Amino acid sequence: MSKDGNGSNGKNGLDPKAKESMKKFKEGKINLGGLIKELSRRSKSKVMIELLEDRKISLEEFLENMVPDLKKKWDIIFGLLKELRVIRNKQLAEKLTLQRPVPYSALNSARGLLSKFVEWGALTQTKSPDGKHHIYLCNLPEFYSVDELLNLNPEHNQIKILKSFSHGWNSIEEIAEATKMSSLFLQELLGAYVEQGVVEKKEGRKESKYRLHGGLKEMGVSAESIKAFGIIKANNEWEQQEEAEAMSREFKSLKELADIQKEDLANKVIETREVSVDGDSLKLAFLGELALGHQFSDVELINYFLPELERVNPNFVISSDFVQGDFRGIQVDRLRTLTRVGRLNKVAAQYKAADLVLQRLEKVAGQNVFYQLSDDDYQVSVSRALIAMEQYKGLRRSGLSSLFPEEIKRLSGEDFRRFMKFQWKVIQPYMYRIGRSLLNADEVNSIIGDAHSEYLLIVFIQLFEKKGIPIPAKWKLVVDLEALHGDKKKSKRIITPDPILLKLPEKFGNKEILIVHNNGFSPVTMYKNSLLIPEAVTRQLQMRGMETPFMQLDFHQERFCGTKVGKTIQGKQDTYIFNLPGCKDTILDASNRMKSFNSMNILTDKVHRQNTFRKEPSTPGITCFEIFPDGRIKFRLLTHKMERVLEAQKDKPEERELLAVMQDLQIGSIQMRVEWNIKAMDYALYTRNASIVDFNGDIIQGINYKQTYSENRPKRLVSVRSQQAFTKKLFLPFFPAPNVKKVRMRVGNHEWNTFGTAEAGQNNLVFLADALEDLYAGMKYAGRDEKLDIRCYSRVRFKNSANPGGATVNWPYSSEEVAGFRYAAQHKWSMKEGAGAVETMTQWATRMAGCVGDVDLLIAGHKHIFATALIAEKLFLQLSGLIDQSGYEMAGGFMPQSLFTLIEFSNRDGITVELIPMEFLESYKCVSPAYRDIDAQGLLDRPKPDTHDYQFGLDSPHIKQLQEEIDSRYVDV
């Protein structure tokens, strides 16, 4: 009996003779053939196995010199492998036995035989791709081609191998140990992986070592990332080919170049969105620059006015800049301005907060909520670009630069352009659609078991879609594919990184409204004149003869202001430009109530620029517009001052007063348009039931310059007496009006500059107040109880004077409270000409400071244009006249923007401004008793071109008759 109990006398059961023969072979004294001749049949298999395990012979030598019985069975196995390439134990059992079906014992025998060859390293056993069976692959070198080996190796086996790599370089033995796979098979397979590009190889003196490709390591190993890795490499090869083609590109003609340019620009032009309008008017609400996460984000304002917006039910809510960002890698000083409570300093929390606001706005909007990416969204994109440069450095080293920028110094390079386009056009809109930031790799791993960030999943999805590869179902558990590809069908939310160009329906004249974010050149610039760029550019475009939009609006400056610019030469369409207010309340910073760490020297924060460069703390607000098919526009601003007034008035009876502003009529001049004056009064008093009429100066032309007599002779109203008489003839017939309670008057420069006025101490407008008082006195005498509060302001006591007792002033200024709001008016707000349309008003108010602290609205005339601004919670209105262009304006290059204005004061709704264009007035038909029949007969129609009266600059028949009769009647004596 042997010592080891298996019938042998030594190690591995070998007899002494076999041991001696094997020793001679290892010492090189005999070759393999000589060894085999010396071995007995019984010891041959054991010796060969031991030599194979000690790597003294190759696998081929082992298989070639097996005992005949095993050699015969291996030949059967090898024949099946050559035929089928991959085999199962059932296929071997069928070959070894003629019985059908194959007995279970034969299946077990075949499985045992195959297991022996797996043990000897000739075969590799793994799972079939469906995971239901064991399959066997050949380990012989070069048995499979690279492509065949990759295709035959099941996906999960590939992942198992690639995931087994430790950091750095790995030997085949280390990988074999980690995977429990044959090193011989791994050697073939790793060679295929090297050719595929997912593994890198380093030749050594003793052995080769392997490691994962840096790009795949950064992406994370999964079946899908391996596919994506291959697509990325193919894309890079395509881009290199494209680069090579560019080097050899030849252009045949300038026309070809021009066509290329046109095609390129056609791909970059924003689309026009044709919108329907549910209702008789288009209602818009604008809410922007909320910047959730900023310490001054004014959520309180939005929360207060949301019920009011729900009541208004605008067709569209236009919003922008809801996320401040976290300044990771850029503008790091602004980290001091972030909200530190509630984690709102983190982008993830900011997107969730933004989603909450957008959800509420979706309930407000009748049709859609537009969200336009902002300069802060752009900064978030840039910061993520910088983070990606560091995070994906393995990808950069691997040359996978089609996805990520290569180096920080290449910020202006092609790689950065691609990355920013992806971040700006895909990722940012996607996050607003789904209402959250992207999940990180750990969060994704907890959902689907793959440690890929949601960002990378989106990259993979786009690559798969590009190549027509089906998207794995598990990815859809993380990525909302509908939101990735566009706005969600069941949502009112429309997210866009681009300017919004809305085209209104035909009943609105197909007007266009353009909304942009940041017409300036810097994310922090706060201009003193906020309309400088858009207004100047629009005027230049019109000067070229181009059509410009009906309305153009910009969020960035966080300062409400607006103006009207001319008419386009072809379409004769007005263009209104508005800069919209933001929703940040910066008053604590402006009043130096903030701790220095959170406010001092934060130069890249817009708040700092507003309070220092502009020297104007911003006034937060929500802007509501209503646009009518007939060209009228209403706008209203929801501000904290309005909130305070409404809260103070909520227990009081409702008040609603409508103010009609009549100014800059210059009756008696050749530029007067009396027909507009009549129709404006008729519309205000008899259609809209205005309760207050304010004659704010320059009602008559007066006599202000020497050429006035010759210039205005055709109108036959060159004397002050004739102008006054004519004015009475026009306006007195409107009274008493159905709802008028007050008439207010102030002289303008045309009244006070009339020759001799200063010396005589006369008031050239009081005639109208006297005439109205006489009219109502006569009605009272006749038994009609009609009342009218008439004031012509000249001598006033300014109660809010900084000095005790109030100042007694001789100046045409007034202020009074209407429905809880105080408005102030004067014709001209500066001693000198010049400065911006609203700037002279704001300078005046700034100089007056607290003395006008109770005023909510300031009204100006004189400049014949429309401009507005919201500053220090006050609405400034520079209103147009009802007049055409004068020679003085022509000489200076000024074009009056004639508009009629109504202002509604309500202790429930605030202040609403209505702008009424001349086209509306020209088509309006009078309804007042005084002018209804006259207008119906066409007697207020101005002469048509190519007629006699048109050629001689005459007015309508009724006005021409009045001109002939005024101050011209002769009495027999």
Side-chain angles (χ1 to χ4, degrees), residues 199-482:
V199 168
E200 296 173 337
K201 181 180 179 180
K202 180 174 71 172
E203 299 284 356
R205 290 183 179 180
K206 295 183 178 179
E207 60 180 352
S208 298
K209 291 196 173 185
Y210 303 85
R211 69 178 181 186
L212 280 180
H213 191 286
L216 184 61
K217 185 177 179 181
E218 291 287 347
M219 291 165 67
V221 175
S222 72
E224 295 78 17
S225 68
I226 294 169
K227 286 181 183 177
F229 187 85
I231 296 171
I232 294 170
K233 288 181 70 68
N235 277 353
N236 283 344
E237 290 170 3
W238 176 80
E239 285 164 11
Q240 291 168 7
Q241 180 183 350
E242 189 181 51
E243 193 72 27
E245 289 175 357
M247 296 294 291
S248 60
R249 178 67 189 264
E250 298 286 344
F251 299 103
K252 297 177 181 179
S253 68
L254 290 176
K255 184 180 183 306
E256 181 187 1
L257 278 176
D259 291 341
I260 289 170
Q261 288 293 126
K262 287 180 182 178
E263 182 181 350
D264 179 72
L265 289 176
N267 295 327
K268 297 175 180 177
V269 175
I270 61 172
E271 64 176 0
T272 300
R273 301 172 184 265
E274 295 189 5
V275 296
S276 60
V277 177
D278 300 336
D280 296 329
S281 63
L282 171 65
K283 296 177 182 178
L284 302 170
F286 291 87
L287 194 156
E289 295 287 347
L290 177 59
L292 291 159
H294 193 285
Q295 60 191 2
F296 296 133
S297 178
D298 199 351
V299 181
E300 181 184 343
L301 179 77
I302 298 170
N303 190 50
Y304 181 84
F305 281 112
L306 269 175
E308 173 62 15
L309 290 175
E310 289 177 1
R311 184 189 68 80
V312 172
N313 190 219
N315 301 81
F316 303 106
V317 176
I318 317 292
S319 57
S320 185
D321 201 344
F322 279 7
V323 167
Q324 175 64 88
D326 54 6
F327 309 114
R328 294 176 64 183
I330 57 169
Q331 298 183 348
V332 292
D333 210 31
R334 293 179 71 182
L335 288 167
R336 294 189 281 141
T337 69
L338 295 179
T339 302
R340 293 289 163 175
V341 178
R343 301 292 184 186
L344 276 170
N345 58 309
K346 302 294 184 183
V347 161
Q350 292 172 16
Y351 276 105
K352 289 182 180 179
D355 183 58
L356 175 63
V357 178
L358 286 168
Q359 286 180 36
R360 293 296 305 273
L361 293 179
E362 286 182 274
K363 294 179 180 179
V364 163
Q367 292 177 246
N368 291 109
V369 175
F370 287 89
Y371 181 85
Q372 182 180 58
L373 297 190
S374 68
D375 56 297
D376 282 321
D377 289 304
Y378 186 83
Q379 295 303 319
V380 171
S381 296
V382 171
S383 73
R384 267 47 196 174
L386 297 175
I387 292 168
M389 288 180 204
E390 176 63 28
Q391 184 176 356
Y392 299 106
K393 57 188 176 183
L395 288 170
R396 296 201 306 281
R397 281 198 296 268
S398 71
L400 303 184
S401 57
S402 66
L403 293 180
F404 307 104
E406 188 169 301
E407 300 293 345
I408 293 177
K409 66 181 180 182
R410 296 183 60 188
L411 283 176
S412 59
E414 179 64 15
D415 293 339
F416 185 69
R417 183 201 70 84
R418 288 196 199 99
F419 178 80
M420 278 302 300
K421 181 179 179 181
F422 181 66
Q423 185 76 27
W424 181 250
K425 300 190 73 171
V426 178
I427 299 299
Q428 292 291 113
Y430 172 74
M431 290 191 289
Y432 280 108
R433 291 181 188 124
I434 63 175
R436 60 169 174 79
S437 60
L438 299 185
L439 303 178
N440 61 34
D442 292 336
E443 291 167 325
V444 172
N445 193 38
S446 69
I447 298 172
I448 63 173
D450 286 342
H452 305 311
S453 67
E454 188 174 4
Y455 179 92
L456 272 181
L457 289 185
I458 292 172
V459 172
F460 296 163
I461 286 170
Q462 291 208 329
L463 291 169
F464 278 34
E465 288 175 340
K466 185 176 181 180
K467 296 294 183 180
I469 301 173
I471 306 302
K474 62 181 180 180
W475 287 1
K476 299 175 185 178
L477 299 175
V478 177
V479 179
D480 186 330
L481 292 186
E482 183 187 13

